[in-house]
Amino acid sequence: MAEFGFRLYFLLFAFLSVSFIFPSSVQSRTLEKTPKTTLLDVSASIQKTLDVLSFDRETVQTTYQQQQEQTVPSSTTTDSSSSFTLQLHSRDSLHKSSHKDYKTLALSRLERDSARVRSINTKLDLAIKGIKKSDLKPMETTDDGVEAKSDDLEGPIISGTSQGSGEYFSRVGIGSPPKPLYMVLDTGSDVTWVQCAPCTDCYQQTDPIFEPSSSSSYSPISCNSDQCETLDVSACRNGSCLYQVSYGDGSYTVGDFVSETLTFGDSGSVNNVAVGCGHDNEGLFVGSAGLLGLGGGALSFPSQVKVSSFSYCLVDRDSSSASTLEFGSKAEPTNAVTTPLLRNRQFDTYYYLGLTGLGVAGEMLSIPPSSFEMDERGNGGIIIDSGTAVTRLQTNVYNSLRDSFVKGTQNLPSTSGVALFDTCYDLSKMNTVEVPTVTFHFPGGKSLDLPAKNYLVPVDSAGTFCLAFAPTSSSLSIIGNIQQQGTRVSFDLVNSLVGFSPNKC
């Protein structure tokens, strides 16, 4: 670490708490097109909790890697007018879980998810306060050396519950010739990075560590380049740019900022993409080789290759199957429920969307639309994030949703809460059950009804299911990936739209 001349920066901050008072004048209204109840297949969900820890990951991983190696092009180069497609997978299918049962797996995931949300709020809070990461002082090192804490592309996606995270993976070729590596898909980050040899400190990953000397397209980025100057935290060594990216859960990556070629299966490749070559990496990225940054900032992959749109469909979090990540014309939404894609002038990474309300059992809840709106300073609003698992809502909004859901499930046996979930049920004696439909409402009278499995989820293999929403004291709300699974989510960057296409994986 010392050879890079700079240390991990610690983010010290105070969260802002914002309370909203809902006016009594806002009345509930019945929605004719929304079914009052939705069927939850309890038996199928419980079976998946058993399967996720027992299937042969080595066979799945070997088969998929062989398929990828057979389709990786040797010299095809694609510019921003081309189409890219990648498969997406759950982390479970790539890296053997250390958890012995589903409950410990679920608790680990929820703990990781809470760290993720703290990270999101940290970065946004710093931006709103006008504090740059480069302004923060480095944490001192102790005596024992421990730091106190284009147009079209397509690829595969995987769910990551086994390591306690909500991330999904895609396999991307790095370098020339391309070295296929599993990368975390993250719409909440901008910088794409990969672990590189030699490692001062690298965590365990499924693939061999990337060797820069084996790539003919590897090229250091100069310190005075636009890419280097755009980094939140950077340094210079012998005229070459060094980068650092830290996350609110304590994870970080440090190394050389370089230009490389990225290859997307048989879709083609893109030259001169700025990526981090991390020699010192710590955190909860176990299994992946790095991260594919899909945020809205200037250094994100979509921004660098200037794609007009991208989309993904996230498979069931307990599934070993794959779906796709697509860029360009293939990613444009078809028959989708669309809502405005909004940006925060203080922080351009996150994707905000227009949400006007929530519905339960066919009735719009008494929540004013302002509860989901961003103010002039950049506070509030609601983002959609591929890396957060559980949807977070302002406390009063959550309470309204929960109370309405509980009212519609009085016939179901309740049980004690689990971790951040306070509304849970014992469904061990049921095969299927009717539960109130939960609906997202968007501007223009548009709505999206969620499948029951996207909001009533198992937390063990004994039949305990919990409502997969959680309150937050932050003014920022987040739509997580549990609510997104099985739905193709598209980002039309030209027309500023987010699209939801159910059952389009």
Side-chain angles (χ1 to χ4, degrees):
M1 178 75 174
E3 66 178 306
F4 298 107
F6 64 106
R7 289 281 182 175
L8 178 66
Y9 285 67
F10 229 62
L11 306 180
L12 302 177
F13 65 96
F15 283 111
L16 297 176
S17 296
V18 179
S19 298
F20 289 87
I21 300 176
F22 300 144
S24 58
S25 59
V26 180
Q27 301 296 322
S28 298
R29 61 185 179 86
T30 301
L31 303 171
E32 297 180 357
K33 296 183 179 180
T34 299
K36 291 187 176 182
T37 61
T38 303
L39 185 69
L40 174 67
D41 192 332
V42 176
S43 298
S45 295
I46 293 177
Q47 185 59 49
K48 285 182 178 180
T49 68
L50 300 173
D51 295 341
V52 71
L53 296 177
S54 62
F55 71 84
D56 188 348
R57 289 172 177 78
E58 292 186 2
T59 299
V60 173
Q61 179 180 328
T62 300
T63 299
Y64 174 62
Q65 289 181 350
Q66 290 175 344
Q67 293 173 346
Q68 289 292 293
E69 290 169 359
Q70 292 172 358
T71 59
V72 170
S74 57
S75 60
T76 302
T77 300
T78 308
D79 59 25
S80 61
S81 65
S82 302
S83 175
F84 296 80
T85 300
L86 289 171
Q87 285 189 329
L88 294 173
H89 308 261
S90 69
R91 186 186 301 230
D92 303 342
S93 61
L94 302 181
H95 191 79
K96 184 174 177 58
S97 172
S98 60
H99 300 288
K100 302 301 181 183
D101 58 65
Y102 191 84
K103 185 170 184 178
T104 58
L105 183 155
L107 292 175
S108 177
R109 181 181 66 173
L110 293 175
E111 182 179 358
R112 170 66 176 89
D113 202 48
S114 294
R116 167 77 177 193
V117 172
R118 288 195 297 270
S119 173
I120 288 174
N121 282 287
T122 297
K123 290 189 283 187
L124 183 59
D125 189 63
L126 289 171
I128 291 175
K129 291 180 177 179
I131 301 174
K132 297 181 180 179
K133 290 182 181 179
S134 56
D135 294 333
L136 301 177
K137 295 181 179 179
M139 186 68 90
E140 295 294 332
T141 303
T142 61
D143 293 337
D144 59 4
V146 178
E147 289 184 340
K149 307 241 163 191
S150 352
D151 204 38
D152 304 336
L153 306 174
E154 184 179 338
I157 301 180
I158 310 178
S159 137
T161 60
S162 64
Q163 296 306 314
S165 76
E167 292 98 355
Y168 286 72
F169 287 21
S170 190
R171 197 159 174 80
V172 180
I174 307 293
S176 301
K179 176 67 176 177
L181 299 171
Y182 285 112
M183 308 283 282
V184 170
L185 164 73
D186 191 0
T187 60
S189 299
D190 291 326
V191 177
T192 294
W193 57 269
V194 62
Q195 293 199 117
C196 285
C199 280
T200 300
D201 190 4
C202 287
Y203 58 81
Q204 181 184 2
Q205 66 179 55
T206 302
D207 300 295
I209 300 294
F210 179 69
E211 177 56 69
S213 63
S214 66
S215 173
S216 62
S217 53
Y218 179 96
S219 178
I221 290 177
S222 65
C223 297
N224 59 2
S225 66
D226 291 339
Q227 294 102 320
C228 190
E229 294 178 355
T230 303
L231 288 165
D232 286 332
V233 180
S234 63
C236 194
R237 183 185 59 188
N238 298 326
S240 296
C241 184
L242 304 177
Y243 81 99
Q244 174 182 289
V245 177
S246 55
Y247 303 87
D249 59 3
S251 304
Y252 65 88
T253 175
V254 177
D256 298 296
F257 206 46
V258 305
S259 174
E260 256 297 8
T261 295
L262 271 58
T263 300
F264 296 81
D266 60 353
S267 314
S269 53
V270 181
N271 296 328
N272 303 317
V273 179
V275 301
C277 188
H279 300 283
D280 194 323
N281 318 284
E282 290 284 351
L284 300 176
F285 302 105
V286 176
S288 72
L291 182 146
L292 182 64
L294 299 179
L299 291 176
S300 74
F301 178 74
S303 295
Q304 287 195 59
V305 300
K306 296 179 173 56
V307 293
S308 60
S309 59
F310 73 92
S311 73
Y312 57 74
C313 192
L314 306 179
V315 296
D316 189 296
R317 60 196 173 280
D318 296 328
S319 172
S320 61
S321 61
S323 55
T324 60
L325 164 65
E326 301 179 350
F327 297 87
S329 59
K330 289 185 177 180
E332 295 175 359
T334 56
N335 300 322
V337 176
T338 59
T339 188
L341 169 61
L342 309 173
R343 296 299 178 91
N344 189 329
R345 289 179 295 178
Q346 304 296 330
F347 194 72
D348 57 7
T349 298
Y350 301 144
Y351 295 109
Y352 289 75
L353 51 77
L355 186 72
T356 57
L358 300 172
V360 175
E363 291 190 352
M364 185 80 112
L365 299 181
S366 300
I367 303 170
S370 59
S371 300
F372 306 106
E373 295 174 354
M374 181 173 28
D375 66 22
E376 294 182 356
R377 295 187 62 244
N379 292 303
I382 184 165
I383 66 171
I384 183 166
D385 182 40
S386 67
T388 299
V390 179
T391 290
R392 299 316 203 273
L393 300 171
Q394 293 174 18
T395 301
N396 286 342
V397 175
Y398 170 75
N399 288 343
S400 180
L401 173 70
R402 178 201 58 200
D403 293 348
S404 183
F405 188 83
V406 169
K407 181 179 179 181
T409 55
Q410 295 179 1
N411 61 318
L412 299 181
S414 61
T415 187
S416 57
V418 177
L420 55 83
F421 297 141
D422 63 10
T423 302
C424 301
Y425 303 89
D426 178 5
L427 305 182
S428 58
K429 298 181 180 180
M430 303 179 180
N431 291 322
T432 60
V433 62
E434 292 281 345
V435 296
T437 301
V438 174
T439 305
F440 289 149
H441 292 277
F442 306 113
K446 301 175 184 178
S447 63
L448 178 69
D449 298 333
L450 301 180
K453 66 177 183 178
N454 284 26
Y455 55 87
L456 200 58
V457 300
V459 293
D460 57 29
S461 298
T464 304
F465 284 70
C466 297
L467 181 65
F469 290 85
T472 177
S473 59
S474 169
S475 62
L476 179 71
S477 298
I478 306 171
I479 294 180
N481 61 43
I482 291 179
Q483 281 67 42
Q484 298 175 52
Q485 66 185 33
T487 299
R488 179 156 296 279
V489 181
S490 55
F491 299 80
D492 184 339
L493 305 179
V494 174
N495 298 305
S496 296
L497 292 172
V498 178
F500 298 91
S501 304
N503 303 314
K504 295 292 183 180
C505 285

